[in-house]
Amino acid sequence: EAGVVQSPRYKIIEKKQPVAFWCNPISGHNTLYWYLQNLGQGPELLIRYENEEAVDDSQLPKDRFSAERLKGVDSTLKIQPAELGDSAVYLCASSRSGQGYNEQFFGPGTRLTVL
Amino acid sequence: QQPVQSPQAVILREGEDAVINCSSSKALYSVHWYRQKHGEAPVFLMILLKGGEQKGHDKISASFNEKKQQSSLYLTASQLSYSGTYFCGTDAGGGADGLTFGKGTHLIIQP
């Protein structure tokens, strides 16, 4: 089966510019996650969707970050405006459901560099 | 709260064994293990559930001590392909809270 697809793979922007990342999860996976991974660190959850509902966005900096999953399939994560500290890899993952016994499948990530 | 992984890094010769540990201060529902190679996505290795159930690859073994909230990943007869960073992700809410990942253990296998 096809894996989690993310685009773009790399993005370089000037600070204060907007940026958007796109994710298409594995077909049939109801749960979608956005993680942020800083260099040398583990992934940190930003937001989790069950179908089109954001069920956990407590770690999402809502003043500049937003996300949507309108039809319960693909998702977009946006940053506006970007800051230097936002430079990181943004990972998308999906699983069949949000139950703890389901493995998460990760996409290759988008590496964001803010200059 | 972030789980603590140990060691931070380990260097092995091909064929040697390694143990990677993950410890949490919270009561856990499950522990997930992933391996990530440089510039690539984390790849699922194993889930260990409260109650003893496990799900994962046949060539990977791990344990979960529910009383101590500790998990260990056992890599035996290591191969060059085992190199990478290993992350444990802990779930304290049965999936309700998502996974909290440790900082990772860097494993280098030398020929």
Side-chain angles (χ1 to χ4, degrees):
Chain A
E1 66 184 355
V4 176
V5 179
Q6 289 188 249
S7 68
R9 291 293 314 276
Y10 305 91
K11 190 73 177 179
I12 301 174
I13 60 172
E14 299 279 338
K15 63 180 181 181
K16 300 185 181 180
Q17 294 299 305
V19 64
F21 315 125
W22 177 80
C23 172
N24 186 255
I26 292 173
S27 178
H29 282 193
N30 297 323
T31 307
L32 184 146
Y33 311 80
W34 283 103
Y35 289 91
L36 176 153
Q37 186 174 28
N38 286 304
L39 189 64
Q41 302 293 318
E44 300 172 36
L45 181 67
L46 290 172
I47 189 168
R48 177 168 67 98
Y49 283 92
E50 293 289 344
N51 299 302
E52 61 273 5
E53 181 183 0
V55 295
D56 183 0
D57 63 355
S58 58
Q59 302 303 313
L60 190 73
K62 298 182 185 62
D63 57 337
R64 297 184 300 107
F65 286 65
S66 64
E68 60 183 14
R69 192 185 185 199
L70 292 176
K71 296 183 179 179
V73 181
D74 56 354
S75 175
T76 302
L77 178 69
K78 298 178 182 177
I79 308 175
Q80 182 171 10
E83 297 179 352
L84 295 176
D86 296 332
S87 295
V89 175
Y90 292 82
L91 294 165
C92 178
S94 70
S95 64
R96 291 194 180 279
S97 77
Q99 295 299 314
Y101 50 78
N102 285 309
E103 61 267 44
Q104 296 181 26
F105 295 86
F106 284 83
T110 296
R111 181 175 296 277
L112 174 67
T113 301
V114 182
L115 303 176
Chain B
Q1 194 158 356
Q2 188 175 40
V4 177
Q5 288 188 232
S6 63
Q8 289 185 335
V10 59
I11 301 174
L12 297 176
R13 293 284 184 192
E14 199 173 5
E16 292 181 336
D17 301 338
V19 180
I20 300 173
N21 302 301
C22 174
S23 180
S24 175
S25 60
K26 300 177 76 171
L28 299 177
Y29 175 83
S30 65
V31 179
H32 300 223
W33 285 96
Y34 289 82
R35 177 173 59 217
Q36 186 176 31
K37 294 183 181 288
H38 183 70
E40 299 181 9
V43 174
F44 167 76
L45 296 176
M46 177 163 283
I47 293 175
L48 301 106
L49 295 164
K50 181 180 174 181
E53 186 178 350
Q54 297 185 0
K55 183 165 67 169
H57 296 285
D58 292 340
K59 294 185 178 180
I60 300 288
S61 64
S63 64
F64 178 25
N65 185 323
E66 294 176 36
K67 289 184 179 179
K68 294 184 177 181
Q69 307 306 325
Q70 294 175 347
S71 178
S72 295
L73 185 70
Y74 305 98
L75 302 171
T76 57
S78 59
Q79 305 172 17
L80 295 175
S81 61
Y82 288 7
S83 292
T85 302
Y86 289 76
F87 293 100
C88 70
T90 55
D91 168 26
D97 301 322
L99 293 179
T100 303
F101 285 91
K103 292 186 177 182
T105 295
H106 303 284
L107 177 65
I108 298 173
I109 310 294
Q110 295 178 336

